[in-house]
Amino acid sequence: MKRHRSGEVWDFELEMPMSRDACDVILGLDGGTTSTVCICMAAMPLSNQSSDTVPVLARSLAGCSNHNSVGETAARETLEQVMAEALMKSGSNRFAVRAVCLAVSGVNHPTDQERILNWLRDIFPSHVKLFVQNDAVAALASGTMGRLHGCVLIAGTGTIAYGFTEDGREARAAGAGPILGDWGSGYGIAAQALTAVVKAHDGRGPQTMLTSSILRALELSLPDELIGWTYADPSWARIAALVPVVVSCAESGDQVSNKILLDSVQELAASVKAVVRRLGLCGEDGRSSFPLVMVGGVLEANKRWDIGKEVIKYISKDHPGACPIRPKVEPAVGAALLAWNYLMKESEGNLGR
Amino acid sequence: MKRHRSGEVWDFELEMPMSRDACDVILGLDGGTTSTVCICMAAMPLSNQSSDTVPVLARSLAGCSNHNSVGETAARETLEQVMAEALMKSGSNRFAVRAVCLAVSGVNHPTDQERILNWLRDIFPSHVKLFVQNDAVAALASGTMGRLHGCVLIAGTGTIAYGFTEDGREARAAGAGPILGDWGSGYGIAAQALTAVVKAHDGRGPQTMLTSSILRALELSLPDELIGWTYADPSWARIAALVPVVVSCAESGDQVSNKILLDSVQELAASVKAVVRRLGLCGEDGRSSFPLVMVGGVLEANKRWDIGKEVIKYISKDHPGACPIRPKVEPAVGAALLAWNYLMKESEGNLGR
């Protein structure tokens, strides 16, 4: 553990007593491609499984911490800074930390985990318990209050389904990016809508309300201009931002938009079903209950054409035991709860010995 | 017209008589995103509509000349250089040129045409007739020996259908890139195949022979590694290079591959049908004949599973007058023939006055 580093992120600790008297804390971190959130939570037993009682002491925010996008050095600096800020805001320091759970996108293999664990070992005292996970795992934990059981479906710009059995087996479906078929995602929906506009324009497809709505949203005058628009900046998030336009066209009765959303529902449901089937989450009789955590802009229940609700309907047909949960806390809190649960299991294990 | 420029591309002319005695020539240029071909053809009447008699004097080759990809200055230099080389190789010079037809990708609007015409005016003497077209037009002309009538279907890495009526109306379908739905293209076929592998792996789709065949072709061991492979370099041509793997799996009876190719056939046929319908190429009775020029790696007739043949079958069902043509000359020759035909029409017009 280093007391001083370039950038002096830990200087605030010099002005505080570096003692073990402070209230013990846990750090939970959710690192995505757009932003990174870190929360500092008091390490105390939760009175019940309710989100109202989570003792969050501080929250800090930073940019991208995906090493694939910004490189290893920048990712590491961002992670260190956002954790230091959360500790400083909570009036705490590194000696008070009992556990850290980093849930970051781009963690797919044990080698990714090991590399990030090494960074953390360099920052924290040796008594601190360290956990590294894929960000989908924190999203699951945000719905189950830290319990790793069930399946999470994330559908924002991208999409992934990720599940765990109670005995620790895991499986995922989708999450491989748009080239590799994440068609239920926000990007997928918007790309299909753009395609529908081009096809209506060149005579390959039926006319659709999407043409005028999308051109208006993008401040373009002709469908031909969409070619230049997509080439100018093919970032997935920019394209996915068109999802609300598709939803509102579908709500106005546009058949093409309706079909695009129905296809998306089937794709998203197929991801969850694949995970549930592989893990046997619905039990031998097919009726066991399991948490189904729903996260991401595409699944938000604020529209008449409710994609999330339709996905649940499709899944429930095959798996009536699916218990849909829309998390009330953010994934960073899920990560902290995950760390807390690991700690509890470990101390139970120690008591048993 | 400049005699000297940086790079001295026209210096060879100083060592030749700058007279009008040399045999008159025509330059035809086909500029794509990968390479640029220029041919120099003798300006003489073609004895018949046969490709054997095209009097090509020289051919030169250069890299990308799409201004969207390499920028305006580099594109311009490449175009000038490749034309100078073709003239030099043919023992000719700029005073012997009667016409130039530049067919380059990325020419979609009159403003693109006007900008490139201005470059050409800067290079050639004022008597030279100059024409600028989309590269699909040269591909059509390569099948019709320079006549702008009928429809061309290009299916390589990308795909486009482009058609002309005899009275000069034109229409296109597809050609907007993979985000905007060019699913029949080589890229489209390969992306569907990669998706099928991921879906088979995570339980969303049926098992397929594509898994072992694609992993072997890419020297990967696990389907998970495809994520890293696509992120490492998402260039369309790199992905489209997997088409032969899909075709050979389909030939071995793999159902998933077969379905991907059938879908591609329908998409490609739909592009042509849209153009034919909009231009009324099949006449009022729906049985008029029109040239259907087929170009590009995906349509090459060298497999048992022959995508090109299937596309023709689909189109002919609706439009029995479609006369499939596989060009025997390259698009650059098509561009030169196009320029020759323009010249002929012009002189006929002058005679008529």
Side-chain angles (χ1 to χ4, degrees):
Chain A
M1 174 190 164
K2 291 158 295 176
R3 295 216 170 202
H4 296 95
R5 280 172 58 91
S6 63
E8 286 117 20
V9 286
W10 299 106
D11 273 5
F12 73 92
E13 289 178 337
L14 299 172
E15 291 153 34
M16 291 188 186
M18 287 290 270
S19 77
R20 287 160 192 272
D21 302 339
C23 141
D24 279 355
V25 297
I26 286 171
L27 291 177
L29 192 143
D30 171 43
T33 312
T34 340
S35 64
T36 304
V37 176
C38 182
I39 70 106
C40 179
M41 179 179 92
M44 52 170 67
L46 296 169
S47 54
N48 57 41
Q49 291 287 305
S50 148
S51 59
D52 305 334
T53 62
V54 179
V56 174
L57 303 173
R59 180 180 194 268
S60 58
L61 187 71
C64 175
S65 59
N66 184 325
H67 60 97
N68 289 323
S69 311
V70 297
E72 203 153 314
T73 313
R76 204 175 149 157
E77 273 176 24
T78 300
L79 291 172
E80 188 164 357
Q81 212 134 25
V82 78
M83 290 188 295
E85 199 187 322
L87 277 176
M88 188 181 64
K89 280 186 176 175
S90 64
S92 192
N93 63 45
R94 283 177 284 172
F95 279 104
V97 177
R98 289 194 54 196
V100 178
C101 177
L102 242 66
V104 274
S105 69
V107 170
N108 297 310
H109 293 279
T111 53
D112 299 322
Q113 268 175 316
E114 198 46 50
R115 196 183 50 250
I116 297 175
L117 278 173
N118 281 333
W119 300 354
L120 290 176
R121 284 191 193 110
D122 212 28
I123 296 173
F124 289 97
S126 58
H127 74 271
V128 180
K129 299 287 172 193
L130 304 170
F131 308 100
V132 173
Q133 285 285 6
N134 184 288
D135 57 343
V137 181
L140 173 60
S142 73
T144 60
M145 297 304 283
R147 211 172 134 228
L148 274 193
H149 173 231
C151 184
V152 64
L153 173 64
I154 307 181
T157 296
T159 181
I160 188 171
Y162 211 116
F164 281 86
T165 59
E166 287 183 286
D167 58 0
R169 285 180 300 122
E170 56 188 287
R172 61 181 269 182
I179 299 172
L180 299 175
D182 288 355
W183 287 109
S185 64
Y187 172 88
I189 291 170
Q192 300 281 5
L194 289 167
T195 296
V197 172
V198 171
K199 288 194 166 181
H201 175 63
D202 69 21
R204 283 180 293 160
Q207 292 305 310
T208 160
M209 195 186 289
L210 285 166
T211 302
S212 58
S213 300
I214 287 182
L215 292 180
R216 194 166 48 238
L218 302 180
E219 298 179 355
L220 302 175
S221 14
L222 296 167
D224 277 336
E225 293 169 15
L226 288 174
I227 304 179
W229 184 82
T230 55
Y231 275 91
D233 171 6
S235 100
W236 300 337
R238 177 170 170 260
I239 288 165
L242 290 171
V243 170
V245 179
V246 187
V247 172
S248 88
C249 286
E251 289 178 348
S252 303
D254 183 60
Q255 284 307 304
V256 172
S257 308
N258 200 51
K259 169 92 169 50
I260 291 170
L261 295 187
L262 283 175
D263 288 350
S264 153
V265 165
Q266 300 225 10
E267 290 280 335
L268 294 172
S271 297
V272 171
K273 287 188 203 171
V275 168
V276 171
R277 209 165 36 234
R278 277 162 66 202
L279 295 176
L281 286 176
C282 49
E284 283 184 8
D285 62 352
R287 307 193 68 83
S288 300
S289 76
F290 61 90
L292 171 61
V293 180
M294 314 274 286
V295 175
V298 169
L299 304 175
E300 269 167 22
N302 52 3
K303 301 272 167 39
R304 265 190 296 141
W305 213 119
D306 188 331
I307 299 174
K309 211 164 120 185
E310 293 300 316
V311 170
I312 293 168
K313 217 192 276 176
Y314 262 84
I315 294 168
S316 298
K317 266 187 218 159
D318 287 13
H319 308 304
C323 304
I325 299 171
R326 302 200 189 248
K328 297 204 179 57
V329 297
E330 62 182 335
V333 175
L337 292 171
L338 210 51
W340 175 254
N341 274 17
Y342 280 129
L343 277 185
M344 288 304 94
K345 270 200 190 143
E346 216 170 54
S347 62
E348 278 165 27
N350 287 342
L351 285 173
R353 268 183 225 156
Chain B
M1 175 188 164
K2 291 158 296 176
R3 293 216 171 207
H4 296 93
R5 280 173 57 90
S6 63
E8 286 118 18
V9 287
W10 299 106
D11 273 5
F12 73 92
E13 289 179 337
L14 299 173
E15 290 153 35
M16 292 187 184
M18 287 288 271
S19 76
R20 288 162 191 273
D21 302 340
C23 142
D24 279 354
V25 297
I26 286 171
L27 291 177
L29 193 142
D30 170 43
T33 313
T34 339
S35 64
T36 303
V37 176
C38 183
I39 71 106
C40 180
M41 178 180 93
M44 52 170 66
L46 296 169
S47 54
N48 57 42
Q49 291 288 306
S50 149
S51 58
D52 304 335
T53 61
V54 179
V56 174
L57 304 173
R59 179 180 193 269
S60 59
L61 187 70
C64 175
S65 59
N66 183 326
H67 60 98
N68 289 324
S69 310
V70 297
E72 203 153 315
T73 314
R76 206 176 148 156
E77 273 175 25
T78 300
L79 291 172
E80 187 163 359
Q81 212 134 26
V82 79
M83 290 189 295
E85 199 186 322
L87 278 175
M88 187 180 65
K89 281 185 175 175
S90 64
S92 192
N93 63 44
R94 283 178 283 173
F95 279 103
V97 177
R98 288 197 49 201
V100 178
C101 177
L102 241 66
V104 274
S105 68
V107 171
N108 296 310
H109 293 279
T111 52
D112 300 322
Q113 266 175 317
E114 199 45 50
R115 195 183 51 248
I116 298 174
L117 278 173
N118 281 334
W119 299 354
L120 291 176
R121 285 191 192 110
D122 212 27
I123 297 173
F124 289 96
S126 58
H127 74 271
V128 180
K129 299 287 173 194
L130 305 171
F131 309 99
V132 173
Q133 285 285 6
N134 183 289
D135 57 343
V137 180
L140 172 61
S142 74
T144 59
M145 298 304 283
R147 209 172 135 229
L148 275 193
H149 174 229
C151 184
V152 63
L153 174 65
I154 307 181
T157 295
T159 181
I160 189 171
Y162 212 116
F164 282 86
T165 58
E166 288 184 284
D167 57 1
R169 285 180 301 121
E170 57 188 285
R172 61 182 270 184
I179 300 173
L180 299 176
D182 288 356
W183 286 109
S185 64
Y187 173 88
I189 292 170
Q192 300 280 6
L194 288 166
T195 295
V197 173
V198 171
K199 288 194 167 182
H201 176 63
D202 69 22
R204 283 179 294 160
Q207 292 304 310
T208 161
M209 195 187 288
L210 286 166
T211 302
S212 58
S213 300
I214 286 182
L215 291 180
R216 194 166 48 241
L218 302 179
E219 298 180 355
L220 301 175
S221 14
L222 296 168
D224 277 337
E225 292 169 15
L226 288 174
I227 303 179
W229 184 83
T230 54
Y231 276 90
D233 171 6
S235 99
W236 300 337
R238 177 169 170 261
I239 288 166
L242 290 171
V243 169
V245 180
V246 187
V247 172
S248 91
C249 286
E251 288 178 348
S252 302
D254 182 60
Q255 285 306 305
V256 172
S257 308
N258 200 53
K259 168 90 168 50
I260 291 170
L261 296 187
L262 283 175
D263 288 348
S264 152
V265 164
Q266 301 225 10
E267 290 279 336
L268 295 172
S271 297
V272 172
K273 287 187 204 171
V275 168
V276 170
R277 207 165 37 232
R278 277 163 64 203
L279 295 177
L281 286 175
C282 49
E284 282 182 11
D285 64 350
R287 308 193 68 82
S288 301
S289 76
F290 61 91
L292 171 62
V293 180
M294 313 274 286
V295 175
V298 169
L299 303 175
E300 268 166 22
N302 52 4
K303 302 273 166 40
R304 265 189 297 139
W305 213 120
D306 187 331
I307 300 173
K309 211 165 119 186
E310 293 300 316
V311 170
I312 293 167
K313 216 191 278 175
Y314 263 83
I315 294 168
S316 299
K317 264 187 220 160
D318 287 13
H319 308 303
C323 304
I325 299 170
R326 303 200 188 249
K328 297 206 177 55
V329 296
E330 62 182 336
V333 175
L337 292 171
L338 211 51
W340 174 254
N341 275 18
Y342 281 128
L343 278 185
M344 289 303 95
K345 270 201 190 141
E346 216 169 53
S347 63
E348 278 165 27
N350 288 341
L351 285 173
R353 268 182 226 158

